[in-house]
Amino acid sequence: MEMRDSALSLNIMPVTLIEGEPDRTPLNSPTDNISFDSLGANLGQAVNKKIRENLGPRQLSLADEFNVYVKTASDSFPVLNPVAYMTVYGENSSSEEFQLILDDNQPILMPGTEDLFEVELLDVHLVEKIRIRLGDGQENWGGWHLEEVQLKNKGTGGAYRFPFNLWLSSTEGGNTEATINAVTSETGVDGNLPGVRYQVAITTGDRWGAETDADMYITLYGANGDSGQQWLKVSDNEEKFLRNQIDTFTITCQPLENLYKVVIGHNGIGHGAGVFIDKVIVSLGSFALQEYIFPCGHWLDDGQEDRKTERELLLLGICEIRDEEMESELEMPMSPVVDSDTQQAGEWMFTVKTLFPDKVGTRDFTIIAHGLSAVSTPVVIQLDPDDLGPEYEFKADMGNLGDIQKIVLERDSTDIDWNLHSIVMADNGKRCEYKFILYPRSDNGNHYLDLPVIRQLADPPFLTTYILEVNTLDRECEDDLPMYINLCGEVSEMGRRWLHRSDHEKKFIKGQVDRFELETVSLGPLRKCIVGHKNENEGEGIQLGKIVLREGPFGPYQVTFFCEQWLDIGRDDRLIEKELKPTVEEMLTMVEPLVDEPKKVDGDWNIWLKLDEKQGCKDVRLFITAYGANGNTADLPMNPLMLHGATYQYLLSFGDIGDLFKLRFTLMSNNEDAAWFINKIKLKNVTTQEELLMYPVDSLKCTTLCPVSYLEMPSIKPDVIPLQAFEYIVQVFTGDIESAGTSSNVWLMLHGEYGDTGMRLLKQSNTNIVPFRKGQVDEFFINSLDLGKLDHVTLKHDGKGRGAGWYIQKVVVKYALNDTVERIFPVYRWLDEGISDRKLEIKCPLLGDVDTSEIVDAMADSDGVWQCTIVTDPKGCHIGDRWNIEAYGEQEISSVITLDHLGETDLPTQCQLTFGNIGRIYKIRMTYENEDDMHFKWPIRNVKLQDVSTMDLLNFDFSHSLHPDNNNMEFCRELPAIRAGEEPRRVMNYWVCVHTGNHQETPVDPNVYVTLCGAHGDTGQRLLCRIGHHVIFQRNQMDIFAIEAVDIGEIEVLKIRKNPGGPWHLKEIILKEDQYSPIEYLFHLDDWLGGHDGEDRWAEVVDVELHRTAIRPGDIATPATDDLKLFSTEGEWEVSTVTSPEHNVVGNMTDAQVLLVFVGDKGETAPISLGLHQAVVQLGESQSKIFVNKDVGELQKLRIGFTESSTSPCWCLQSIKLQHLENKAQFAYTLNGWLKGYPRNPGWREIPVYWPGTIQHGVL
């Protein structure tokens, strides 16, 4: 190895001692001559301050000059201008940190070299350990393999050897510093300074998002110095720092003795990259008898609380580990573990140990003990100021308190420090002993110190600081008010505390809010507070408005205790102490505001996928979908790399979807048992550095029966409850009409307030072998994250061509097998390319829900009185709005009831309504009277009615329209009653086509209303109004309106009302049950409404009642687009027939041919041969192709027969299906009957052709 020798010139500040007796205290260690009795404290800062205040010069001696030899290993990485620092710790003191550098700036710390540095140190004397630290800005240095360091004293010749043999690196996860003890001393004797192993147990909190995969470090501090920054790499768990997990690490360093604090932190960057630390417990070795308890209870995250990623944790106390064998030998317990049912003696011996025996601390204080049974009376301690010493003893009778929980120290003055190290509290018979550690908390400057008991096998208590705000309404006396408070929670109570130190110079001034901080053991959820004062003279009290409490500056909850009374001997109830209960609890922000403008959430994310050790299938397609507060992405394709156990990184752009709250992975494969196993997912936003961790509990698996697999995972964010997993039970009702079923692939998607499930393939029905047949109910399970309140479902299928469609009646959804609430989504629509809008996809809004466990006797007598609860959107309601409600019963209609003060507060409106004896209610209607409000938005969310006498409960969801595509202003909505076990009435979308006559000269300006009347009721009066600026009722114009109403049956009467205004020439109105109904109702008038030809009727309200003029066929589909092949019989057809098992094929062989004839509204084809009888008529299914050379128009029926034959052909035909190979039109019919021919008689048999949406014709 190459040796380089060069002088090192350093201007090192000499360490100077105070005049008088030598102080042998190391600058970063407590004094050795103070007995701490198992607990030490770092007095370094205090001693440092004391020394610097009394600096005096001192000459250096030859004994302070050292040669430092630094050996770098040959596999180290070279770098230009490395920066490294060293600190030397000795018996007397420690050096200042100095940089390893040469005068001539020669390269240093190169691989395979040994560098010589010269340094001058003062009063280090016998060297015990050294620390090496990398400087800042060394990220480009691949790593320094430090092999060994030697120090040689120039004066004595003594040498110290430090065999590091470790790597130092500034890269992520690397150690930037190391501390090691000398293995060879000044005298050359080996091994006199051994290292010890500390067991560090770190508990990650049980909070959402508490886990982290950042690199964490810790530094232990004790009486002999500190451990240096130690990276926590090897845990006793496979995955470190998971939520609610305890990770144990081993740290080797010099014996620190008497630990008093730790510093813990990590290198994670970005919100979510941090960790919630519950506590840190340190013990010396695996079988230590003491555990040092360092509570934390805070986030280390730059997006939480105070945004710190490093925290200093002070010692709360020491837990004595119980050794039963040793206790038996000594015949006394070694730990404060006592039976909580045992009544402990009332007389106790207190031993108080001071921190500095020669320093005067607090001499007068009070001790109060809190037990499970009672709280002691205050014990006043008064020490002689002239009597200085290391400890004091006294006896006190505390009474029978039960198991001791804590003691509280109280003092009147905070002018001087407590100067207390510990208090030992033992009962007179030595049956129990408690030890309370005060240092380093005893220098907090508070009037009170809470000292909790720490017990083995019990969670240590937490200390917290309650932020207290006292609102003074009025006060007449300006003298200081001695006021106190006691907080009581579910766990314990604080005890009476005097409110000494406010954030105002003068406390409790009229109109002032005083802020106090009270440190105590955490009390749990607050249940009451007791507040009072000791001024017993009239007029010296306070009018207290309220008290607001928060647990710490970043506590998640704020509790308000309202008082608004005087605490005065001469006012109100004349009490000067009151017990207050919490009135308001509210969630608060838990993050300190950013100084700079927060970064806008960007859509670019890095995502890492760590695969499981299991091998997945390679022939798959993988997609990811991200959901945010503003929407979701499309299904984004990913390259599904499949090297098991590997981690893959992707850069994905999610766009402006807002706050990310869930991901869904979709795997598609036709391979049997194709799978993909994900062990861990990590996401990091490119711009904001927000970080998310996900640990999937399921894998993605495809099968032949289900070639698509889904996996959804919520975003786990700090202290945010993520979406929970749900198993939705979906029932799909196929209509019971001809050709309603489908054999196509069907997909369904649930939509709610928290996104959707994505399109799920419905392949395996739980109730039927073959799904989606006519009149069938199919049940499916859909595993997804919670969607919140469901809004609508989307259905689609892939059956192309007319007749390949599907008629859905409704969809019903439950949240789980034991869920009794059914959510109903009515459909009543064809999804077919030959009808309606020709689309194969439909969105179905929620009608409402019903609890199937609440069935009320339909025959029960009702008094007609109902309790009504109405939930509104406050933004849509205004003071003075007038709303009406009316109910439709099976016997009659209720009167219209006006609802006053609806929605004037954020709370639901409750009232009692008398509908009278109208029979069972089957629908209700809500109407807004101010129809001139063109900015109106529907504000009613929910109406709940409960019969006072029968308890019949009806729930109406008015939050959305069932036909959201309507372009009408809705001032009126009605919904059917939904009852368990009963089919609710359909909500129709009536199509109103108004034809203004050819004589109209100017548009009609007044409002026009219509009421549709049918066999089952009416729609109520509805305003004909369109959204936007469309001018209606112009000359010879057809205006179309939609009216959403509960089914009224066959429409018979139309009532029209025209408000005062200009005349209107109405030609006719055409009504349809929906836009594509096959039947339309005509109401013809061709007359004026209002004055005309000199008649002065402008001021009149004109009412007209029209009876139905005619019923005629209507258009059932929109015009076909260019990409949709129109139906035509001409072309090639594929014919599939199924012969019944009843047919005896062998006994019915014949030379006859099977013939088909297509019959339409434009004629019929000539007979077309399907093939020879013996070829077509085969058991099971057979297929053949035919060509039709003529278009017969709308196909109405099919004729099947045989050619003339000498034999009598017959065929037991089970079913037949035909599909046009070009336009994909298809139809099928199940016959299950015989076709029989005779000589010179083809035996024709006709079967009907059922097209979706057309009027069905029977078979005679």
Side-chain angles (χ1 to χ4, degrees):
M1 177 174 288
E2 178 186 354
M3 170 66 76
R4 294 196 302 263
D5 189 352
S6 178
L8 174 65
S9 176
L10 298 174
N11 294 321
I12 299 177
M13 172 70 72
V15 177
T16 309
L17 299 180
I18 305 171
E19 294 180 2
E21 290 294 322
D23 188 344
R24 305 181 64 83
T25 307
L27 284 180
N28 63 337
S29 303
T31 56
D32 292 334
N33 58 343
I34 297 180
S35 174
F36 288 127
D37 188 21
S38 81
L39 176 71
N42 184 355
L43 307 181
Q45 293 180 351
V47 175
N48 245 324
K49 180 180 179 182
K50 190 175 181 181
I51 290 175
R52 292 173 187 236
E53 288 174 352
N54 297 275
L55 283 178
R58 181 183 184 279
Q59 294 294 322
L60 292 177
S61 68
L62 188 63
D64 299 317
E65 298 179 2
F66 287 82
N67 285 333
V68 181
Y69 302 87
V70 179
K71 185 184 294 185
T72 301
S74 58
D75 59 348
S76 185
F77 289 92
V79 68
L80 293 176
N81 303 320
V83 180
Y85 298 91
M86 178 184 290
T87 306
V88 181
Y89 298 86
E91 182 184 33
N92 296 338
S93 182
S94 64
S95 73
E96 295 280 346
E97 186 177 63
F98 56 87
Q99 184 177 353
L100 299 176
I101 191 171
L102 301 177
D103 281 344
D104 52 4
N105 290 323
Q106 293 183 26
I108 59 173
L109 312 182
M110 300 299 288
T113 64
E114 184 175 76
D115 297 288
L116 170 61
F117 307 91
E118 294 183 348
V119 62
E120 295 175 335
L121 304 174
L122 172 64
D123 261 351
V124 172
H125 192 48
L126 293 177
V127 175
E128 295 180 348
K129 66 176 181 177
I130 65 171
R131 174 183 299 168
I132 301 291
R133 182 180 69 85
L134 296 183
D136 297 334
Q138 304 292 295
E139 288 79 9
N140 294 328
W141 193 357
W144 177 24
H145 188 175
L146 175 59
E147 188 171 324
E148 184 180 272
V149 174
Q150 290 190 41
L151 270 70
K152 187 172 182 179
N153 192 310
K154 288 185 178 182
T156 65
Y160 303 87
R161 188 169 66 89
F162 303 88
F164 280 86
N165 194 25
L166 51 77
W167 285 87
L168 297 177
S169 174
S170 294
T171 58
E172 185 173 353
N175 286 323
T176 59
E177 62 181 63
T179 302
I180 190 171
N181 297 310
V183 297
T184 304
S185 67
E186 172 85 21
T187 60
V189 178
D190 290 338
N192 197 30
L193 299 169
V196 295
R197 293 188 175 186
Y198 288 95
Q199 298 291 324
V200 179
I202 300 176
T203 302
T204 305
D206 190 12
R207 304 276 284 265
W208 290 113
E211 62 278 346
T212 186
D213 67 349
D215 296 309
M216 294 198 65
Y217 59 83
I218 195 169
T219 305
L220 311 180
Y221 291 83
N224 292 342
D226 61 77
S227 65
Q229 190 179 87
Q230 303 283 334
W231 290 94
L232 303 171
K233 292 188 175 181
V234 182
S235 167
D236 57 342
N237 296 303
E238 182 178 353
E239 188 83 24
K240 297 178 293 186
F241 306 118
L242 295 181
R243 177 186 176 185
N244 201 26
Q245 177 173 289
I246 300 175
D247 292 280
T248 303
F249 304 87
T250 300
I251 290 178
T252 303
C253 65
Q254 66 159 339
L256 300 175
E257 301 296 339
N258 305 321
L259 303 178
Y260 64 91
K261 78 172 180 180
V262 301
V263 172
I264 187 169
H266 63 83
N267 61 1
I269 299 174
H271 186 206
V275 64
F276 185 92
I277 298 298
D278 189 69
K279 60 181 174 287
V280 176
I281 299 178
V282 183
S283 58
L284 185 59
S286 303
F287 303 101
L289 297 179
Q290 289 182 332
E291 289 181 340
Y292 294 83
I293 311 298
F294 301 90
C296 180
H298 287 285
W299 284 97
L300 283 71
D301 190 296
D302 61 16
Q304 291 292 113
E305 297 185 358
D306 54 6
R307 304 183 182 273
K308 292 181 179 179
T309 58
E310 180 182 273
R311 293 197 182 276
E312 180 182 275
L313 309 181
L314 300 181
L315 179 69
L316 177 67
I318 299 175
C319 180
E320 305 287 346
I321 306 302
R322 194 167 189 165
D323 189 313
E324 295 181 0
E325 186 174 329
M326 186 179 296
E327 287 180 10
S328 177
E329 294 177 2
L330 298 176
E331 297 183 351
M332 65 173 289
M334 296 183 61
S335 63
V337 180
V338 295
D339 187 353
S340 60
D341 294 330
T342 302
Q343 286 293 323
Q344 296 167 16
E347 190 174 74
W348 294 80
M349 173 65 73
F350 287 85
T351 303
V352 180
K353 296 188 178 183
T354 59
L355 196 59
F356 297 101
D358 57 347
K359 179 181 177 181
V360 177
T362 299
R363 314 303 289 175
D364 300 330
F365 58 91
T366 301
I367 297 179
I368 302 174
H370 290 246
L372 280 179
S373 303
V375 178
S376 74
T377 56
V379 176
V380 178
I381 309 300
Q382 292 182 326
L383 302 177
D384 188 349
D386 298 327
D387 186 12
L388 298 177
E391 68 179 39
Y392 307 89
E393 288 187 347
F394 59 89
K395 293 181 181 180
D397 189 353
M398 311 297 287
N400 291 326
L401 308 178
D403 200 1
I404 301 297
Q405 302 299 302
K406 71 175 181 178
I407 64 172
V408 179
L409 273 59
E410 177 185 358
R411 61 179 176 176
D412 291 331
S413 174
T414 59
D415 294 339
I416 58 176
D417 293 336
W418 286 92
N419 193 27
L420 296 179
H421 169 266
S422 63
I423 295 178
V424 177
M425 177 180 176
D427 72 2
N428 206 24
K430 294 292 184 182
R431 291 181 294 114
C432 181
E433 181 178 286
Y434 298 100
K435 187 170 185 178
F436 304 95
I437 307 300
L438 282 74
Y439 185 83
R441 292 178 50 231
S442 60
D443 60 355
N444 62 7
N446 290 339
H447 288 267
Y448 296 89
L449 276 179
D450 264 35
L451 304 174
V453 173
I454 299 175
R455 289 183 168 83
Q456 184 181 350
L457 303 179
D459 287 334
F462 280 85
L463 291 173
T464 188
T465 299
Y466 287 95
I467 309 299
L468 172 72
E469 293 181 354
V470 179
N471 186 309
T472 302
L473 293 180
D474 196 4
R475 187 158 178 249
E476 298 173 351
C477 180
E478 296 186 358
D479 295 338
D480 186 41
L481 178 66
M483 196 166 180
Y484 60 85
I485 192 169
N486 182 15
L487 304 179
C488 303
E490 283 188 357
V491 177
S492 62
E493 69 175 63
M494 178 179 67
R496 177 185 288 190
R497 298 286 177 91
W498 294 98
L499 301 178
H500 291 284
R501 190 182 302 162
S502 167
D503 59 339
H504 292 90
E505 184 176 353
K506 198 166 186 178
K507 299 176 294 184
F508 311 124
I509 303 299
K510 179 180 178 179
Q512 181 171 288
V513 177
D514 291 278
R515 187 175 184 270
F516 304 88
E517 294 185 1
L518 306 174
E519 185 186 71
T520 182
V521 174
S522 182
L523 308 174
L526 296 176
R527 291 297 173 253
K528 68 178 180 179
C529 79
I530 300 171
V531 61
H533 61 82
K534 65 179 183 181
N535 284 355
E536 297 184 357
N537 296 322
E538 184 176 346
E540 294 183 356
I542 182 175
Q543 187 182 21
L544 180 63
K546 62 182 178 180
I547 294 176
V548 181
L549 278 165
R550 184 175 184 176
E551 188 172 349
F554 304 105
Y557 297 100
Q558 179 172 284
V559 183
T560 303
F561 298 84
F562 282 100
C563 179
E564 298 180 344
Q565 284 187 315
W566 282 91
L567 278 71
D568 192 287
I569 202 71
R571 301 287 186 92
D572 292 341
D573 54 10
R574 302 180 181 274
L575 297 177
I576 60 173
E577 179 182 278
K578 291 185 182 295
E579 181 179 297
L580 307 177
K581 296 294 179 68
T583 309
V584 178
E585 294 188 29
E586 52 188 326
M587 293 286 294
L588 295 178
T589 178
M590 299 174 62
V591 185
E592 189 172 275
L594 286 170
V595 177
D596 301 326
E597 190 72 21
K599 296 179 181 178
K600 183 181 179 182
V601 177
D602 188 79
D604 293 337
W605 292 79
N606 278 309
I607 177 170
W608 291 266
L609 302 180
K610 182 181 179 182
L611 303 188
D612 198 271
E613 293 296 331
K614 299 177 184 178
Q615 180 68 54
C617 178
K618 294 183 179 180
D619 188 15
V620 298
R621 290 184 296 158
L622 181 67
F623 300 87
I624 185 174
T625 312
Y627 288 79
N630 299 335
N632 59 276
T633 68
D635 294 338
L636 305 175
M638 300 181 69
N639 181 18
L641 301 173
M642 284 296 173
L643 183 59
H644 57 285
T647 299
Y648 296 98
Q649 181 180 356
Y650 302 82
L651 177 62
L652 298 177
S653 179
F654 294 158
D656 186 19
I657 64 172
D659 195 18
L660 184 68
F661 63 81
K662 85 168 178 177
L663 292 179
R664 181 174 58 250
F665 289 91
T666 305
L667 187 73
M668 297 183 179
S669 177
N670 292 320
N671 292 341
E672 179 68 23
D673 296 327
W676 203 52
F677 303 94
I678 311 175
N679 182 270
K680 177 181 175 182
I681 300 169
K682 178 177 178 178
L683 295 98
K684 199 168 189 69
N685 189 276
V686 173
T687 302
T688 67
Q689 299 297 301
E690 180 184 6
E691 188 171 299
L692 303 172
L693 289 177
M694 302 175 183
Y695 295 88
V697 295
D698 294 317
S699 58
L700 289 158
K701 296 181 180 179
C702 298
T703 63
T704 303
L705 292 177
C706 189
V708 185
S709 180
Y710 310 91
L711 177 63
E712 291 193 349
M713 282 159 295
S715 298
I716 309 295
K717 300 187 177 184
D719 278 338
V720 177
I721 299 176
L723 300 177
Q724 301 300 300
F726 269 61
E727 184 177 59
Y728 291 97
I729 299 175
V730 178
Q731 293 178 320
V732 181
F733 291 70
T734 301
D736 192 14
I737 60 178
E738 282 298 332
S739 303
T742 184
S743 58
S744 306
N745 290 316
V746 171
W747 288 267
L748 177 141
M749 178 162 50
L750 302 177
H751 303 256
E753 55 186 328
Y754 306 136
D756 57 62
T757 61
M759 280 294 183
R760 301 296 182 95
L761 179 64
L762 303 183
K763 200 72 173 178
Q764 293 178 279
S765 172
N766 300 325
T767 50
N768 300 287
I769 297 176
V770 180
F772 311 122
R773 287 185 170 178
K774 169 189 170 185
Q776 192 166 278
V777 180
D778 293 286
E779 184 179 270
F780 303 89
F781 292 152
I782 292 182
N783 292 308
S784 167
L785 295 178
D786 181 17
L787 299 172
K789 181 186 176 183
L790 296 181
D791 178 70
H792 65 280
V793 301
T794 299
L795 285 163
K796 75 172 185 178
H797 68 89
D798 59 3
K800 297 288 186 179
R802 185 184 183 191
W806 177 34
Y807 184 84
I808 314 106
Q809 180 181 338
K810 65 179 178 180
V811 175
V812 175
V813 180
K814 295 194 295 183
Y815 284 172
L817 283 172
N818 57 353
D819 184 16
T820 60
V821 178
E822 294 182 344
R823 295 141 193 93
I824 301 172
F825 301 84
V827 186
Y828 297 101
R829 280 283 301 272
W830 281 97
L831 298 183
D832 189 282
E833 288 187 343
I835 189 174
S836 302
D837 56 6
R838 303 182 185 271
K839 294 179 181 178
L840 304 182
E841 181 174 323
I842 186 173
K843 291 184 177 180
C844 314
L846 174 70
L847 172 64
D849 55 57
V850 60
D851 192 339
T852 56
S853 66
E854 298 178 354
I855 300 179
V856 178
D857 184 4
M859 303 303 294
D861 293 331
S862 171
D863 295 333
V865 180
W866 295 73
Q867 187 66 33
C868 177
T869 302
I870 302 177
V871 179
T872 59
D873 180 1
K875 296 180 181 178
C877 289
H878 307 90
I879 297 177
D881 287 351
R882 290 178 60 84
W883 286 86
N884 296 331
I885 185 173
E886 53 188 318
Y888 280 64
E890 294 176 348
Q891 298 177 13
E892 58 181 286
I893 306 171
S894 75
S895 59
V896 177
I897 300 175
T898 300
L899 301 172
D900 295 322
H901 312 296
L902 186 62
E904 292 184 1
T905 68
D906 294 342
L907 300 176
T909 301
Q910 294 186 335
C911 55
Q912 198 169 78
L913 305 177
T914 302
F915 292 138
N917 187 21
I918 62 175
R920 293 186 83 212
I921 293 177
Y922 69 84
K923 78 171 179 179
I924 67 167
R925 181 183 300 131
M926 297 290 298
T927 306
Y928 179 62
E929 286 195 3
N930 186 12
E931 295 170 342
D932 295 328
D933 184 1
M934 291 295 102
H935 300 288
F936 170 75
K937 291 185 179 180
W938 187 266
I940 308 296
R941 293 289 170 259
N942 183 269
V943 176
K944 184 177 291 185
L945 295 173
Q946 186 160 34
D947 194 310
V948 174
S949 55
T950 68
M951 303 307 293
D952 188 12
L953 180 64
L954 302 177
N955 194 27
F956 302 89
D957 187 350
F958 279 98
S959 61
H960 55 265
S961 169
L962 295 179
H963 302 88
D965 295 334
N966 289 348
N967 196 29
N968 289 40
M969 289 289 292
E970 286 190 302
F971 298 101
C972 174
R973 283 184 186 174
E974 62 183 40
L975 286 175
I978 306 176
R979 292 183 174 90
E982 301 180 20
E983 191 70 22
R985 300 199 181 197
R986 288 180 58 183
V987 177
M988 313 297 289
N989 193 38
Y990 290 103
W991 209 250
V992 182
C993 307
V994 180
H995 191 179
T996 300
N998 195 37
H999 302 293
Q1000 188 75 34
E1001 297 177 356
T1002 59
V1004 179
D1005 56 350
N1007 290 340
V1008 175
Y1009 304 85
V1010 296
T1011 303
L1012 281 59
C1013 303
H1016 302 144
D1018 61 66
T1019 62
Q1021 185 171 273
R1022 304 296 183 95
L1023 174 67
L1024 299 181
C1025 179
R1026 299 290 297 276
I1027 298 175
H1029 300 285
H1030 177 71
V1031 180
I1032 57 178
F1033 307 139
Q1034 297 189 82
R1035 179 179 181 179
N1036 206 27
Q1037 178 172 288
M1038 179 72 78
D1039 294 292
I1040 299 176
F1041 307 90
I1043 294 178
E1044 185 179 281
V1046 176
D1047 185 9
I1048 61 173
E1050 186 174 319
I1051 303 173
E1052 300 168 341
V1053 175
L1054 175 64
K1055 298 178 181 179
I1056 305 171
R1057 165 169 289 191
K1058 186 185 76 68
N1059 275 0
W1064 177 33
H1065 184 259
L1066 174 62
K1067 183 177 181 181
E1068 63 185 10
I1069 294 179
I1070 300 170
L1071 301 179
K1072 301 176 69 173
E1073 290 183 349
D1074 62 57
Q1075 183 179 359
Y1076 304 109
S1077 174
I1079 295 175
E1080 59 184 33
Y1081 303 93
L1082 176 64
F1083 294 84
H1084 188 76
L1085 179 63
D1086 199 14
D1087 199 358
W1088 290 92
L1089 275 72
H1092 188 64
D1093 293 335
E1095 298 181 48
D1096 187 11
R1097 299 177 58 189
W1098 282 59
E1100 294 182 4
V1101 174
V1102 180
D1103 288 312
V1104 176
E1105 183 175 303
L1106 301 180
H1107 290 265
R1108 187 176 65 212
T1109 306
I1111 301 177
R1112 61 191 188 192
D1115 294 331
I1116 63 171
T1118 58
T1121 57
D1122 294 338
D1123 59 345
L1124 186 67
K1125 300 290 185 180
L1126 290 175
F1127 174 75
S1128 172
T1129 55
E1130 185 176 3
E1132 190 174 21
W1133 290 75
E1134 182 178 73
V1135 183
S1136 301
T1137 59
V1138 178
T1139 300
S1140 173
E1142 299 179 11
H1143 189 95
N1144 187 345
V1145 177
V1146 177
N1148 289 280
M1149 300 300 291
T1150 175
D1151 58 354
Q1153 295 191 30
V1154 179
L1155 302 177
L1156 297 180
V1157 175
F1158 290 74
V1159 181
D1161 61 356
K1162 295 181 180 178
E1164 62 183 59
T1165 66
I1168 303 170
S1169 174
L1170 194 60
L1172 288 174
H1173 179 276
Q1174 57 189 9
V1176 175
V1177 183
Q1178 298 289 331
L1179 280 180
E1181 185 176 2
S1182 63
Q1183 293 182 338
S1184 55
K1185 294 181 179 179
I1186 61 174
F1187 187 84
V1188 179
N1189 58 10
K1190 178 182 179 181
D1191 182 15
V1192 297
E1194 181 77 354
L1195 191 59
Q1196 296 174 337
K1197 61 184 178 180
L1198 187 69
R1199 192 176 298 133
I1200 307 177
F1202 305 98
T1203 58
E1204 294 185 4
S1205 173
S1206 57
T1207 60
S1208 299
C1210 63
W1211 185 12
C1212 188
L1213 179 61
Q1214 181 174 314
S1215 63
I1216 183 170
K1217 178 181 178 180
L1218 290 87
Q1219 182 176 27
H1220 198 288
L1221 295 182
E1222 183 178 3
N1223 58 47
K1224 302 301 180 182
Q1226 59 181 279
F1227 61 90
Y1229 187 77
T1230 300
L1231 181 63
N1232 282 326
W1234 287 92
L1235 281 71
K1236 295 182 179 181
Y1238 304 95
R1240 295 177 299 280
N1241 184 349
W1244 293 111
R1245 182 153 185 180
E1246 292 185 346
I1247 62 174
V1249 175
Y1250 293 124
W1251 295 114
T1254 59
I1255 299 174
Q1256 307 290 312
H1257 298 282
V1259 179
L1260 299 178

